[in-house]
Amino acid sequence: MSDLIVKAAVKDALADNNVSADFYDALNEEVAELLDDAAERAEANDRKTVQPRDL
């Protein structure tokens, strides 16, 4: 699986917190699941275009 997140952006967003190395892998998996679910919803509605409402 490719990285779907930008580690530097995550670190910047959580600037007041420390971020463990394995957090990025877990976040990447969550994002991948979110994208898969959105794509399935779009397909279920006979669309090829994923839209914000699919989230």
Side-chain angles (χ1 to χ4, degrees), residues 10-48:
V10 173
K11 192 169 187 172
D12 287 347
L14 298 173
D16 294 336
N17 300 90
N18 294 324
V19 180
S20 69
D22 57 342
F23 177 80
Y24 298 110
D25 291 333
L27 180 59
N28 196 63
E29 289 177 20
E30 288 291 322
V31 170
E33 288 180 25
L34 185 65
L35 295 175
D36 287 342
D37 291 346
E40 287 177 16
R41 180 182 160 120
E43 290 173 12
N45 287 294
D46 295 322
R47 290 182 282 112
K48 290 188 177 190

